[in-house]
Amino acid sequence: MLTRVRGWRRGWQERSKLERIDLYSRLTVAAIPWLFTLTWQLAPLTADIHHAPLPLALGLALLVVCLAQCALSNRNARPSYEHYCGISVFPRQRMIAPLALLLVALGLLATLAAVDGVDGDGLLLMAMNIPMALVMTQALLVPVRTFLVQSLGLAALTTGVLAAAGVRGGILAGAAPATLFGCVLVLISVRPSTWSLSVMWQAEEARDVQARLAVAEERLRFGRDMHDVLGRNLAVIALKSELAVELAQRGRPQAVDQMVEVQRIARASQQEVRDVVRGYREADLSTELAGAKGVLRAAGIECAVVGDSGAELAAPVQAALGWVVREAATNVLRHGDPRRCTIRLTASADEVVLDVENDGASATATATTGDCGSGDHGSGGSGSGLTGLRERLGSLDGSLDAGTAGDGLFRLTARIPLSRPDAGRKPGAAPWTASGAVSGTDAGGVSRTASASASASASADVRGTAGTAGAETRTAFLEERR
């Protein structure tokens, strides 16, 4: 016995707070009909029923019927609760037995009144208890208005049965109010308790869904960051490896320099992956602009960065535009046969606009992105790179358009609104000149340029080996420049 008690205690302690409340509420609902029967049915049996054989036999029979009603009420408690919560449908055939027992109990009560075997007060208590077990289930199966109408019908039925048994006067007049009181008491005790329990479980389920969505969102964010970080690095490594092969086949010593650069980029990629895993990495717009310019020029593509420097923008805006620059530079490297690329940043009081335009757009790009769709530059389909950029810009109410602009040009435009003139700006930033250098004195210019050169380490859009022909063209062009 002691072991069983300890097991119950351990089981209670292992439950969550909501599970404890659920168990407590269910046990309370299950105990209510038994409590009413033991008070409103057993008390008259000892005090108000006349101690004669027939009245005592009728009273004991009525008590047994009421106890059977309580057992059926407990049996129907879980299905009725699940019906109320919309989990399952209550099988209506389960109400046949409780209804039959109710009619039997009313018949026994009428017989007891007909033989004058009970006093008036005891008769009203038993009349109030008889429907309790049945209505505890019914209160959860039908709407409140329907339940009240059914309670009125039950009160009328009880009054009619007692009137047929010869009950008159104040006792008969009190039968209907007593029955209605019992029904309403069940309604205000059982239904609110069940409603509160269902609301708590719904809130718990909502928290579980919210937690799962947060995990899924974090997975998407991490995957998007990994894509953005490794995309351009792998593209540059592939480009420089092809150049090193060409130089090695011609016996040129510059092949060693290219492979050293590949090694450096690979090591930088490792560090950036570690930073992403730690969650500390964020894009810097000035660094990304300088890095994109350096990488594109190393590939033989003339690149100009014009307009504002972006240093006056808020950190979230700079970070989002930095990712756009990475993705755009990666697409320029991977697709088509570009010779020139222009990156233009324009910041006004209302919005900041970043335009990346390059020539040499392929026929595939013209066919697939002419409607400024979501496809990657010349990829012939929607790419995860541009999709990730739209998600980043969307968090700032920004937008992204990508498509051909005629005459073999491809243009990518990112817009981010600034709600206030000072919302996304910081004073004291110098504009970029047409050559891409920052005017004025910039104490961190050297280190930023060096960091930008190393930022060949990051971006988006690795999609197989497409664009090899464009890479070979850029390699030949770079050879001519050397």
Side-chain angles (χ1 to χ4, degrees), residues 111-148:
T111 304
L112 189 61
V115 299
D116 195 21
V118 61
D119 295 336
D121 294 339
L123 182 66
L124 290 180
L125 280 178
M126 289 188 290
M128 186 165 50
N129 174 71
I130 285 175
M132 294 297 288
L134 174 68
V135 297
M136 287 194 67
T137 301
Q138 192 68 11
L140 300 178
L141 301 181
V142 297
V144 174
R145 183 176 300 178
T146 303
F147 178 81
L148 293 176

PDB file of all heavy atoms in Angstrom, residues 111-148:
ATOM      1  N   THR A 111     -43.657   6.789  -7.254  1.00  0.00           N
ATOM      2  CA  THR A 111     -44.252   5.702  -6.470  1.00  0.00           C
ATOM      3  C   THR A 111     -44.072   5.951  -4.978  1.00  0.00           C
ATOM      4  O   THR A 111     -44.998   5.732  -4.163  1.00  0.00           O
ATOM      5  CB  THR A 111     -43.613   4.370  -6.862  1.00  0.00           C
ATOM      6  OG1 THR A 111     -43.751   4.174  -8.267  1.00  0.00           O
ATOM      7  CG2 THR A 111     -44.262   3.221  -6.122  1.00  0.00           C
ATOM      8  N   LEU A 112     -42.882   6.439  -4.612  1.00  0.00           N
ATOM      9  CA  LEU A 112     -42.616   6.740  -3.199  1.00  0.00           C
ATOM     10  C   LEU A 112     -43.544   7.837  -2.700  1.00  0.00           C
ATOM     11  O   LEU A 112     -44.041   7.784  -1.560  1.00  0.00           O
ATOM     12  CB  LEU A 112     -41.154   7.160  -3.031  1.00  0.00           C
ATOM     13  CG  LEU A 112     -40.628   7.303  -1.606  1.00  0.00           C
ATOM     14  CD1 LEU A 112     -40.725   5.975  -0.848  1.00  0.00           C
ATOM     15  CD2 LEU A 112     -39.168   7.788  -1.629  1.00  0.00           C
ATOM     16  N   ALA A 113     -43.815   8.850  -3.569  1.00  0.00           N
ATOM     17  CA  ALA A 113     -44.741   9.913  -3.174  1.00  0.00           C
ATOM     18  C   ALA A 113     -46.172   9.402  -3.143  1.00  0.00           C
ATOM     19  O   ALA A 113     -46.983   9.834  -2.294  1.00  0.00           O
ATOM     20  CB  ALA A 113     -44.609  11.084  -4.150  1.00  0.00           C
ATOM     21  N   ALA A 114     -46.504   8.485  -4.033  1.00  0.00           N
ATOM     22  CA  ALA A 114     -47.879   7.984  -4.094  1.00  0.00           C
ATOM     23  C   ALA A 114     -48.242   7.165  -2.863  1.00  0.00           C
ATOM     24  O   ALA A 114     -49.402   7.191  -2.408  1.00  0.00           O
ATOM     25  CB  ALA A 114     -48.070   7.131  -5.352  1.00  0.00           C
ATOM     26  N   VAL A 115     -47.280   6.461  -2.291  1.00  0.00           N
ATOM     27  CA  VAL A 115     -47.555   5.648  -1.082  1.00  0.00           C
ATOM     28  C   VAL A 115     -47.342   6.456   0.180  1.00  0.00           C
ATOM     29  O   VAL A 115     -47.381   5.890   1.289  1.00  0.00           O
ATOM     30  CB  VAL A 115     -46.660   4.394  -1.068  1.00  0.00           C
ATOM     31  CG1 VAL A 115     -46.933   3.518  -2.278  1.00  0.00           C
ATOM     32  CG2 VAL A 115     -45.189   4.763  -0.986  1.00  0.00           C
ATOM     33  N   ASP A 116     -47.087   7.773  -0.025  1.00  0.00           N
ATOM     34  CA  ASP A 116     -46.890   8.668   1.109  1.00  0.00           C
ATOM     35  C   ASP A 116     -45.759   8.174   2.003  1.00  0.00           C
ATOM     36  O   ASP A 116     -45.864   8.130   3.231  1.00  0.00           O
ATOM     37  CB  ASP A 116     -48.188   8.798   1.918  1.00  0.00           C
ATOM     38  CG  ASP A 116     -48.136   9.984   2.886  1.00  0.00           C
ATOM     39  OD1 ASP A 116     -47.299  10.897   2.645  1.00  0.00           O
ATOM     40  OD2 ASP A 116     -48.902   9.982   3.862  1.00  0.00           O
ATOM     41  N   GLY A 117     -44.645   7.807   1.345  1.00  0.00           N
ATOM     42  CA  GLY A 117     -43.529   7.262   2.099  1.00  0.00           C
ATOM     43  C   GLY A 117     -42.409   8.248   2.348  1.00  0.00           C
ATOM     44  O   GLY A 117     -41.356   7.855   2.884  1.00  0.00           O
ATOM     45  N   VAL A 118     -42.557   9.528   1.990  1.00  0.00           N
ATOM     46  CA  VAL A 118     -41.500  10.507   2.163  1.00  0.00           C
ATOM     47  C   VAL A 118     -42.111  11.853   2.503  1.00  0.00           C
ATOM     48  O   VAL A 118     -43.202  12.206   2.028  1.00  0.00           O
ATOM     49  CB  VAL A 118     -40.627  10.616   0.892  1.00  0.00           C
ATOM     50  CG1 VAL A 118     -41.448  11.065  -0.294  1.00  0.00           C
ATOM     51  CG2 VAL A 118     -39.434  11.523   1.119  1.00  0.00           C
ATOM     52  N   ASP A 119     -41.418  12.626   3.323  1.00  0.00           N
ATOM     53  CA  ASP A 119     -41.863  13.980   3.647  1.00  0.00           C
ATOM     54  C   ASP A 119     -41.580  14.924   2.487  1.00  0.00           C
ATOM     55  O   ASP A 119     -40.812  14.620   1.568  1.00  0.00           O
ATOM     56  CB  ASP A 119     -41.165  14.461   4.911  1.00  0.00           C
ATOM     57  CG  ASP A 119     -41.565  13.637   6.139  1.00  0.00           C
ATOM     58  OD1 ASP A 119     -42.658  13.032   6.116  1.00  0.00           O
ATOM     59  OD2 ASP A 119     -40.735  13.578   7.091  1.00  0.00           O
ATOM     60  N   GLY A 120     -42.165  16.105   2.566  1.00  0.00           N
ATOM     61  CA  GLY A 120     -42.064  17.055   1.458  1.00  0.00           C
ATOM     62  C   GLY A 120     -40.644  17.535   1.188  1.00  0.00           C
ATOM     63  O   GLY A 120     -40.205  17.620   0.035  1.00  0.00           O
ATOM     64  N   ASP A 121     -39.892  17.876   2.257  1.00  0.00           N
ATOM     65  CA  ASP A 121     -38.530  18.390   2.040  1.00  0.00           C
ATOM     66  C   ASP A 121     -37.630  17.324   1.398  1.00  0.00           C
ATOM     67  O   ASP A 121     -36.843  17.609   0.501  1.00  0.00           O
ATOM     68  CB  ASP A 121     -37.932  18.826   3.378  1.00  0.00           C
ATOM     69  CG  ASP A 121     -38.663  20.025   3.968  1.00  0.00           C
ATOM     70  OD1 ASP A 121     -39.326  20.746   3.186  1.00  0.00           O
ATOM     71  OD2 ASP A 121     -38.562  20.240   5.189  1.00  0.00           O
ATOM     72  N   GLY A 122     -37.742  16.109   1.875  1.00  0.00           N
ATOM     73  CA  GLY A 122     -36.947  15.029   1.292  1.00  0.00           C
ATOM     74  C   GLY A 122     -37.318  14.761  -0.149  1.00  0.00           C
ATOM     75  O   GLY A 122     -36.459  14.438  -0.985  1.00  0.00           O
ATOM     76  N   LEU A 123     -38.603  14.898  -0.474  1.00  0.00           N
ATOM     77  CA  LEU A 123     -39.050  14.701  -1.856  1.00  0.00           C
ATOM     78  C   LEU A 123     -38.415  15.727  -2.793  1.00  0.00           C
ATOM     79  O   LEU A 123     -37.977  15.392  -3.908  1.00  0.00           O
ATOM     80  CB  LEU A 123     -40.581  14.789  -1.904  1.00  0.00           C
ATOM     81  CG  LEU A 123     -41.205  14.562  -3.284  1.00  0.00           C
ATOM     82  CD1 LEU A 123     -40.965  13.130  -3.728  1.00  0.00           C
ATOM     83  CD2 LEU A 123     -42.709  14.866  -3.247  1.00  0.00           C
ATOM     84  N   LEU A 124     -38.336  16.982  -2.359  1.00  0.00           N
ATOM     85  CA  LEU A 124     -37.731  18.017  -3.212  1.00  0.00           C
ATOM     86  C   LEU A 124     -36.227  17.785  -3.384  1.00  0.00           C
ATOM     87  O   LEU A 124     -35.682  17.997  -4.474  1.00  0.00           O
ATOM     88  CB  LEU A 124     -37.982  19.402  -2.592  1.00  0.00           C
ATOM     89  CG  LEU A 124     -39.425  19.904  -2.636  1.00  0.00           C
ATOM     90  CD1 LEU A 124     -39.539  21.276  -1.987  1.00  0.00           C
ATOM     91  CD2 LEU A 124     -39.943  19.952  -4.067  1.00  0.00           C
ATOM     92  N   LEU A 125     -35.546  17.341  -2.318  1.00  0.00           N
ATOM     93  CA  LEU A 125     -34.110  17.064  -2.443  1.00  0.00           C
ATOM     94  C   LEU A 125     -33.849  15.930  -3.441  1.00  0.00           C
ATOM     95  O   LEU A 125     -32.954  16.015  -4.283  1.00  0.00           O
ATOM     96  CB  LEU A 125     -33.524  16.710  -1.081  1.00  0.00           C
ATOM     97  CG  LEU A 125     -33.199  17.860  -0.134  1.00  0.00           C
ATOM     98  CD1 LEU A 125     -32.678  17.319   1.192  1.00  0.00           C
ATOM     99  CD2 LEU A 125     -32.165  18.790  -0.762  1.00  0.00           C
ATOM    100  N   MET A 126     -34.654  14.876  -3.338  1.00  0.00           N
ATOM    101  CA  MET A 126     -34.464  13.762  -4.269  1.00  0.00           C
ATOM    102  C   MET A 126     -34.847  14.147  -5.688  1.00  0.00           C
ATOM    103  O   MET A 126     -34.215  13.709  -6.658  1.00  0.00           O
ATOM    104  CB  MET A 126     -35.273  12.556  -3.781  1.00  0.00           C
ATOM    105  CG  MET A 126     -34.693  11.914  -2.538  1.00  0.00           C
ATOM    106  SD  MET A 126     -35.502  10.352  -2.075  1.00  0.00           S
ATOM    107  CE  MET A 126     -37.091  10.977  -1.525  1.00  0.00           C
ATOM    108  N   ALA A 127     -35.858  14.987  -5.868  1.00  0.00           N
ATOM    109  CA  ALA A 127     -36.240  15.465  -7.202  1.00  0.00           C
ATOM    110  C   ALA A 127     -35.130  16.319  -7.811  1.00  0.00           C
ATOM    111  O   ALA A 127     -34.907  16.304  -9.030  1.00  0.00           O
ATOM    112  CB  ALA A 127     -37.545  16.250  -7.113  1.00  0.00           C
ATOM    113  N   MET A 128     -34.437  17.058  -6.965  1.00  0.00           N
ATOM    114  CA  MET A 128     -33.332  17.888  -7.457  1.00  0.00           C
ATOM    115  C   MET A 128     -32.111  17.041  -7.818  1.00  0.00           C
ATOM    116  O   MET A 128     -31.346  17.381  -8.727  1.00  0.00           O
ATOM    117  CB  MET A 128     -32.971  18.922  -6.384  1.00  0.00           C
ATOM    118  CG  MET A 128     -31.931  19.945  -6.807  1.00  0.00           C
ATOM    119  SD  MET A 128     -31.888  21.351  -5.689  1.00  0.00           S
ATOM    120  CE  MET A 128     -31.786  20.573  -4.094  1.00  0.00           C
ATOM    121  N   ASN A 129     -31.902  15.905  -7.161  1.00  0.00           N
ATOM    122  CA  ASN A 129     -30.714  15.087  -7.407  1.00  0.00           C
ATOM    123  C   ASN A 129     -30.873  14.148  -8.602  1.00  0.00           C
ATOM    124  O   ASN A 129     -29.883  13.826  -9.265  1.00  0.00           O
ATOM    125  CB  ASN A 129     -30.419  14.257  -6.152  1.00  0.00           C
ATOM    126  CG  ASN A 129     -29.279  13.278  -6.383  1.00  0.00           C
ATOM    127  OD1 ASN A 129     -28.128  13.683  -6.492  1.00  0.00           O
ATOM    128  ND2 ASN A 129     -29.595  11.995  -6.477  1.00  0.00           N
ATOM    129  N   ILE A 130     -32.080  13.706  -8.871  1.00  0.00           N
ATOM    130  CA  ILE A 130     -32.281  12.680  -9.901  1.00  0.00           C
ATOM    131  C   ILE A 130     -31.673  13.046 -11.248  1.00  0.00           C
ATOM    132  O   ILE A 130     -30.997  12.219 -11.878  1.00  0.00           O
ATOM    133  CB  ILE A 130     -33.786  12.354 -10.017  1.00  0.00           C
ATOM    134  CG1 ILE A 130     -34.218  11.498  -8.832  1.00  0.00           C
ATOM    135  CG2 ILE A 130     -34.098  11.632 -11.324  1.00  0.00           C
ATOM    136  CD1 ILE A 130     -35.705  11.218  -8.790  1.00  0.00           C
ATOM    137  N   PRO A 131     -31.830  14.249 -11.798  1.00  0.00           N
ATOM    138  CA  PRO A 131     -31.267  14.533 -13.129  1.00  0.00           C
ATOM    139  C   PRO A 131     -29.796  14.947 -13.131  1.00  0.00           C
ATOM    140  O   PRO A 131     -29.225  15.186 -14.206  1.00  0.00           O
ATOM    141  CB  PRO A 131     -32.144  15.686 -13.628  1.00  0.00           C
ATOM    142  CG  PRO A 131     -32.529  16.416 -12.397  1.00  0.00           C
ATOM    143  CD  PRO A 131     -32.655  15.370 -11.324  1.00  0.00           C
ATOM    144  N   MET A 132     -29.148  15.032 -11.985  1.00  0.00           N
ATOM    145  CA  MET A 132     -27.805  15.620 -11.923  1.00  0.00           C
ATOM    146  C   MET A 132     -26.803  14.862 -12.792  1.00  0.00           C
ATOM    147  O   MET A 132     -26.046  15.451 -13.567  1.00  0.00           O
ATOM    148  CB  MET A 132     -27.318  15.649 -10.462  1.00  0.00           C
ATOM    149  CG  MET A 132     -28.112  16.570  -9.558  1.00  0.00           C
ATOM    150  SD  MET A 132     -28.000  18.298 -10.034  1.00  0.00           S
ATOM    151  CE  MET A 132     -26.332  18.642  -9.551  1.00  0.00           C
ATOM    152  N   ALA A 133     -26.761  13.537 -12.668  1.00  0.00           N
ATOM    153  CA  ALA A 133     -25.767  12.764 -13.406  1.00  0.00           C
ATOM    154  C   ALA A 133     -25.971  12.884 -14.915  1.00  0.00           C
ATOM    155  O   ALA A 133     -25.004  12.960 -15.682  1.00  0.00           O
ATOM    156  CB  ALA A 133     -25.829  11.300 -12.966  1.00  0.00           C
ATOM    157  N   LEU A 134     -27.225  12.891 -15.343  1.00  0.00           N
ATOM    158  CA  LEU A 134     -27.499  13.001 -16.780  1.00  0.00           C
ATOM    159  C   LEU A 134     -27.121  14.367 -17.323  1.00  0.00           C
ATOM    160  O   LEU A 134     -26.473  14.478 -18.382  1.00  0.00           O
ATOM    161  CB  LEU A 134     -28.978  12.724 -17.034  1.00  0.00           C
ATOM    162  CG  LEU A 134     -29.442  12.936 -18.488  1.00  0.00           C
ATOM    163  CD1 LEU A 134     -28.817  11.886 -19.399  1.00  0.00           C
ATOM    164  CD2 LEU A 134     -30.963  12.884 -18.581  1.00  0.00           C
ATOM    165  N   VAL A 135     -27.485  15.435 -16.622  1.00  0.00           N
ATOM    166  CA  VAL A 135     -27.255  16.775 -17.160  1.00  0.00           C
ATOM    167  C   VAL A 135     -25.774  17.152 -17.119  1.00  0.00           C
ATOM    168  O   VAL A 135     -25.355  18.061 -17.846  1.00  0.00           O
ATOM    169  CB  VAL A 135     -28.101  17.826 -16.399  1.00  0.00           C
ATOM    170  CG1 VAL A 135     -29.576  17.551 -16.586  1.00  0.00           C
ATOM    171  CG2 VAL A 135     -27.727  17.871 -14.935  1.00  0.00           C
ATOM    172  N   MET A 136     -24.975  16.484 -16.284  1.00  0.00           N
ATOM    173  CA  MET A 136     -23.539  16.791 -16.286  1.00  0.00           C
ATOM    174  C   MET A 136     -22.900  16.412 -17.622  1.00  0.00           C
ATOM    175  O   MET A 136     -21.980  17.078 -18.085  1.00  0.00           O
ATOM    176  CB  MET A 136     -22.842  16.043 -15.142  1.00  0.00           C
ATOM    177  CG  MET A 136     -23.147  16.619 -13.778  1.00  0.00           C
ATOM    178  SD  MET A 136     -22.056  16.014 -12.502  1.00  0.00           S
ATOM    179  CE  MET A 136     -20.521  16.739 -12.997  1.00  0.00           C
ATOM    180  N   THR A 137     -23.378  15.348 -18.231  1.00  0.00           N
ATOM    181  CA  THR A 137     -22.905  14.992 -19.574  1.00  0.00           C
ATOM    182  C   THR A 137     -23.548  15.870 -20.629  1.00  0.00           C
ATOM    183  O   THR A 137     -22.880  16.355 -21.547  1.00  0.00           O
ATOM    184  CB  THR A 137     -23.209  13.510 -19.857  1.00  0.00           C
ATOM    185  OG1 THR A 137     -22.572  12.698 -18.873  1.00  0.00           O
ATOM    186  CG2 THR A 137     -22.725  13.120 -21.236  1.00  0.00           C
ATOM    187  N   GLN A 138     -24.846  16.103 -20.504  1.00  0.00           N
ATOM    188  CA  GLN A 138     -25.587  16.863 -21.512  1.00  0.00           C
ATOM    189  C   GLN A 138     -25.111  18.315 -21.580  1.00  0.00           C
ATOM    190  O   GLN A 138     -25.156  18.937 -22.648  1.00  0.00           O
ATOM    191  CB  GLN A 138     -27.086  16.811 -21.199  1.00  0.00           C
ATOM    192  CG  GLN A 138     -27.985  17.319 -22.307  1.00  0.00           C
ATOM    193  CD  GLN A 138     -27.973  16.423 -23.532  1.00  0.00           C
ATOM    194  OE1 GLN A 138     -27.455  15.316 -23.487  1.00  0.00           O
ATOM    195  NE2 GLN A 138     -28.540  16.910 -24.626  1.00  0.00           N
ATOM    196  N   ALA A 139     -24.642  18.858 -20.475  1.00  0.00           N
ATOM    197  CA  ALA A 139     -24.194  20.258 -20.467  1.00  0.00           C
ATOM    198  C   ALA A 139     -23.017  20.496 -21.393  1.00  0.00           C
ATOM    199  O   ALA A 139     -22.798  21.631 -21.843  1.00  0.00           O
ATOM    200  CB  ALA A 139     -23.830  20.673 -19.044  1.00  0.00           C
ATOM    201  N   LEU A 140     -22.231  19.449 -21.683  1.00  0.00           N
ATOM    202  CA  LEU A 140     -21.071  19.599 -22.564  1.00  0.00           C
ATOM    203  C   LEU A 140     -21.366  19.220 -24.008  1.00  0.00           C
ATOM    204  O   LEU A 140     -20.512  19.415 -24.880  1.00  0.00           O
ATOM    205  CB  LEU A 140     -19.913  18.720 -22.044  1.00  0.00           C
ATOM    206  CG  LEU A 140     -19.411  19.031 -20.640  1.00  0.00           C
ATOM    207  CD1 LEU A 140     -18.303  18.060 -20.258  1.00  0.00           C
ATOM    208  CD2 LEU A 140     -18.921  20.465 -20.546  1.00  0.00           C
ATOM    209  N   LEU A 141     -22.566  18.688 -24.251  1.00  0.00           N
ATOM    210  CA  LEU A 141     -22.878  18.205 -25.603  1.00  0.00           C
ATOM    211  C   LEU A 141     -23.686  19.181 -26.434  1.00  0.00           C
ATOM    212  O   LEU A 141     -23.678  19.095 -27.669  1.00  0.00           O
ATOM    213  CB  LEU A 141     -23.641  16.868 -25.509  1.00  0.00           C
ATOM    214  CG  LEU A 141     -22.924  15.713 -24.790  1.00  0.00           C
ATOM    215  CD1 LEU A 141     -23.800  14.472 -24.800  1.00  0.00           C
ATOM    216  CD2 LEU A 141     -21.582  15.432 -25.440  1.00  0.00           C
ATOM    217  N   VAL A 142     -24.407  20.090 -25.794  1.00  0.00           N
ATOM    218  CA  VAL A 142     -25.302  20.996 -26.521  1.00  0.00           C
ATOM    219  C   VAL A 142     -24.977  22.434 -26.139  1.00  0.00           C
ATOM    220  O   VAL A 142     -24.369  22.688 -25.086  1.00  0.00           O
ATOM    221  CB  VAL A 142     -26.777  20.675 -26.199  1.00  0.00           C
ATOM    222  CG1 VAL A 142     -27.141  19.274 -26.678  1.00  0.00           C
ATOM    223  CG2 VAL A 142     -27.059  20.817 -24.707  1.00  0.00           C
ATOM    224  N   PRO A 143     -25.377  23.413 -26.961  1.00  0.00           N
ATOM    225  CA  PRO A 143     -25.189  24.820 -26.585  1.00  0.00           C
ATOM    226  C   PRO A 143     -25.971  25.179 -25.328  1.00  0.00           C
ATOM    227  O   PRO A 143     -26.905  24.465 -24.915  1.00  0.00           O
ATOM    228  CB  PRO A 143     -25.725  25.576 -27.815  1.00  0.00           C
ATOM    229  CG  PRO A 143     -25.656  24.591 -28.942  1.00  0.00           C
ATOM    230  CD  PRO A 143     -25.896  23.256 -28.330  1.00  0.00           C
ATOM    231  N   VAL A 144     -25.596  26.303 -24.727  1.00  0.00           N
ATOM    232  CA  VAL A 144     -26.214  26.712 -23.459  1.00  0.00           C
ATOM    233  C   VAL A 144     -27.707  26.940 -23.633  1.00  0.00           C
ATOM    234  O   VAL A 144     -28.521  26.511 -22.787  1.00  0.00           O
ATOM    235  CB  VAL A 144     -25.514  27.985 -22.934  1.00  0.00           C
ATOM    236  CG1 VAL A 144     -26.237  28.509 -21.684  1.00  0.00           C
ATOM    237  CG2 VAL A 144     -24.055  27.701 -22.612  1.00  0.00           C
ATOM    238  N   ARG A 145     -28.095  27.592 -24.711  1.00  0.00           N
ATOM    239  CA  ARG A 145     -29.521  27.872 -24.910  1.00  0.00           C
ATOM    240  C   ARG A 145     -30.315  26.572 -25.039  1.00  0.00           C
ATOM    241  O   ARG A 145     -31.387  26.428 -24.440  1.00  0.00           O
ATOM    242  CB  ARG A 145     -29.703  28.738 -26.159  1.00  0.00           C
ATOM    243  CG  ARG A 145     -31.136  29.153 -26.419  1.00  0.00           C
ATOM    244  CD  ARG A 145     -31.226  30.075 -27.617  1.00  0.00           C
ATOM    245  NE  ARG A 145     -30.442  31.281 -27.401  1.00  0.00           N
ATOM    246  CZ  ARG A 145     -30.313  32.239 -28.324  1.00  0.00           C
ATOM    247  NH1 ARG A 145     -30.894  32.120 -29.510  1.00  0.00           N
ATOM    248  NH2 ARG A 145     -29.603  33.309 -28.055  1.00  0.00           N
ATOM    249  N   THR A 146     -29.786  25.635 -25.785  1.00  0.00           N
ATOM    250  CA  THR A 146     -30.465  24.340 -25.924  1.00  0.00           C
ATOM    251  C   THR A 146     -30.543  23.620 -24.583  1.00  0.00           C
ATOM    252  O   THR A 146     -31.568  23.002 -24.245  1.00  0.00           O
ATOM    253  CB  THR A 146     -29.723  23.471 -26.945  1.00  0.00           C
ATOM    254  OG1 THR A 146     -29.641  24.172 -28.194  1.00  0.00           O
ATOM    255  CG2 THR A 146     -30.428  22.148 -27.158  1.00  0.00           C
ATOM    256  N   PHE A 147     -29.483  23.715 -23.801  1.00  0.00           N
ATOM    257  CA  PHE A 147     -29.472  23.067 -22.486  1.00  0.00           C
ATOM    258  C   PHE A 147     -30.535  23.664 -21.578  1.00  0.00           C
ATOM    259  O   PHE A 147     -31.221  22.931 -20.833  1.00  0.00           O
ATOM    260  CB  PHE A 147     -28.093  23.204 -21.858  1.00  0.00           C
ATOM    261  CG  PHE A 147     -27.977  22.615 -20.488  1.00  0.00           C
ATOM    262  CD1 PHE A 147     -27.793  21.248 -20.316  1.00  0.00           C
ATOM    263  CD2 PHE A 147     -28.084  23.403 -19.353  1.00  0.00           C
ATOM    264  CE1 PHE A 147     -27.708  20.676 -19.057  1.00  0.00           C
ATOM    265  CE2 PHE A 147     -27.989  22.853 -18.093  1.00  0.00           C
ATOM    266  CZ  PHE A 147     -27.807  21.482 -17.938  1.00  0.00           C
ATOM    267  N   LEU A 148     -30.683  24.977 -21.603  1.00  0.00           N
ATOM    268  CA  LEU A 148     -31.696  25.614 -20.760  1.00  0.00           C
ATOM    269  C   LEU A 148     -33.108  25.193 -21.176  1.00  0.00           C
ATOM    270  O   LEU A 148     -33.978  24.959 -20.321  1.00  0.00           O
ATOM    271  CB  LEU A 148     -31.543  27.133 -20.817  1.00  0.00           C
ATOM    272  CG  LEU A 148     -30.265  27.691 -20.180  1.00  0.00           C
ATOM    273  CD1 LEU A 148     -30.186  29.198 -20.384  1.00  0.00           C
ATOM    274  CD2 LEU A 148     -30.202  27.346 -18.693  1.00  0.00           C
TER     275      LEU A 148
END
